[in-house]
Amino acid sequence: MGLNRNVSLMTALRYKGQGPFLTYILHRIGGLGMAIFITVHLLASFVGGKGGHFINAIYENWAFQIFIFFCVLFHAINGLRITILDLFPKLIPYHRQAITLEWLVFLSIYGFAVFTIIRTGLGG
Amino acid sequence: MADKSRNLSIAKRGLMSFETIMWVFTRLSALGMYALVIFGLIGALVMGARNNMNFADVMRWGFMPNVTHVENTALPDTAPWSSTLWKLTASALVLIAVGHGVHGLVVIADDYIATAKGRQIVRICSGVMILSMLGIGLYLIWTS
């Protein structure tokens, strides 16, 4: 159990989980990214002063917004797929189609968000 | 196979264990957050977001309807955006999101921390994090 895994790091990196595993990992990365962002953002807003303003200025930077929008949108859209499949188990055989649909929805919304953020960041 | 498991009693299916309750809570809290986000987005459109805010600003408001998130937009008056309705909506979002998020962090931590002592420390830290984040979040919402 736990850290006594019976696979080497190289074997783990070659794991062919494909689409479902990618969404699983990205869901965790998105969740962790949001948790770290929200925690630091709340603390920075609460403390205020130069330090707080400096940290919040980073968050308002367009490059960071592209990252955090990825975390939020992917976690939200993938979470919706997980919730739907869990609450309606008869749909589970179609999970790969659901993942394809999820990517289409995510890329559409995220692409538009990134376009808007970059255009605004460049003064458009 | 799925049909057979559904014929088991609740007690035999173990639906009252803490892990199962939190599993259900994670799904239902996600649905609750979707509802609050959609409510915030509709409210933003009603209050004039279409002509005074860009897409990213509207999304930021939707994920946390706090007036500080629309202060840098072209809105002529942000007073409606700081009404009690939106403070209550933001408070509900913080309550649900902190519970959902901290539980998610505990689940991830459990995948890497195997000892009972280590997991106990994680749970104590998560309790402290829930209380502190709720306190700070609600303070910021109601004083902004």
Side-chain angles (χ1 to χ4, degrees):
Chain A
M1 193 171 115
L3 297 179
N4 294 324
R5 296 189 178 96
N6 206 14
V7 290
S8 67
L9 177 62
M10 289 310 295
T11 305
L13 292 175
R14 286 197 302 270
Y15 175 63
K16 295 178 180 175
Q18 300 176 347
F21 185 66
L22 180 65
T23 58
Y24 165 81
I25 287 296
L26 289 177
H27 194 75
R28 288 200 160 189
I29 292 172
L32 277 174
M34 273 194 293
I36 294 168
F37 160 70
I38 291 169
T39 303
V40 179
H41 180 46
L42 279 177
L43 290 174
S45 301
F46 182 66
V47 173
K50 283 186 179 178
H53 287 300
F54 173 74
I55 291 173
N56 280 336
I58 294 173
Y59 290 157
E60 289 168 10
N61 183 278
W62 63 270
F64 183 83
Q65 294 216 349
I66 288 174
F67 165 73
I68 200 64
F69 264 74
F70 175 87
C71 292
V72 174
L73 286 175
F74 188 86
H75 196 83
I77 294 169
N78 188 56
L80 184 60
R81 174 187 64 85
I82 293 169
T83 303
I84 291 171
L85 292 184
D86 281 347
L87 296 181
F88 302 97
K90 286 184 178 176
L91 295 174
I92 287 177
Y94 305 101
H95 74 281
R96 285 190 180 272
Q97 290 89 333
I99 289 172
T100 304
L101 180 63
E102 170 196 332
W103 276 110
L104 289 173
V105 172
F106 169 74
L107 290 174
S108 303
I109 299 175
Y110 183 61
F112 188 54
V114 168
F115 171 75
T116 309
I117 291 168
I118 291 177
R119 194 181 63 174
T120 307
L122 296 177
Chain B
M1 189 173 167
D3 290 339
K4 189 178 180 183
S5 65
R6 283 169 173 243
N7 290 330
L8 291 172
S9 67
I10 289 177
K12 286 184 178 175
R13 287 160 68 185
L15 284 185
M16 292 314 290
S17 70
F18 177 75
E19 282 74 17
T20 311
I21 290 169
M22 290 311 292
W23 183 90
V24 174
F25 167 77
T26 304
R27 272 71 186 166
L28 296 184
S29 61
L31 290 178
M33 284 189 282
Y34 296 130
L36 289 170
V37 168
I38 291 170
F39 180 65
L41 292 176
I42 293 171
L45 292 171
V46 170
M47 292 187 295
R50 192 168 68 87
N51 296 320
N52 300 296
M53 291 162 70
N54 65 34
F55 178 74
D57 291 328
V58 176
M59 295 291 282
R60 196 177 305 122
W61 166 266
F63 285 120
M64 179 42 68
N66 190 21
V67 68
T68 55
H69 285 168
V70 295
E71 283 176 346
N72 295 326
T73 62
L75 288 166
D77 179 21
T78 57
W81 303 73
S82 61
S83 67
T84 305
L85 171 68
W86 294 121
K87 288 184 190 295
L88 287 171
T89 306
S91 300
L93 205 46
V94 164
L95 285 167
I96 298 173
V98 168
H100 180 99
V102 174
H103 176 66
L105 290 177
V106 171
V107 169
I108 294 175
D110 278 357
D111 280 354
Y112 299 95
I113 298 170
T115 63
K117 178 114 180 162
R119 290 184 171 179
Q120 188 68 24
I121 292 171
V122 166
R123 273 145 186 78
I124 292 169
C125 290
S126 70
V128 172
M129 192 171 178
I130 284 178
L131 292 176
S132 56
M133 288 299 105
L134 279 180
I136 293 173
L138 293 175
Y139 172 81
L140 288 171
I141 288 167
W142 288 92
T143 57
S144 60

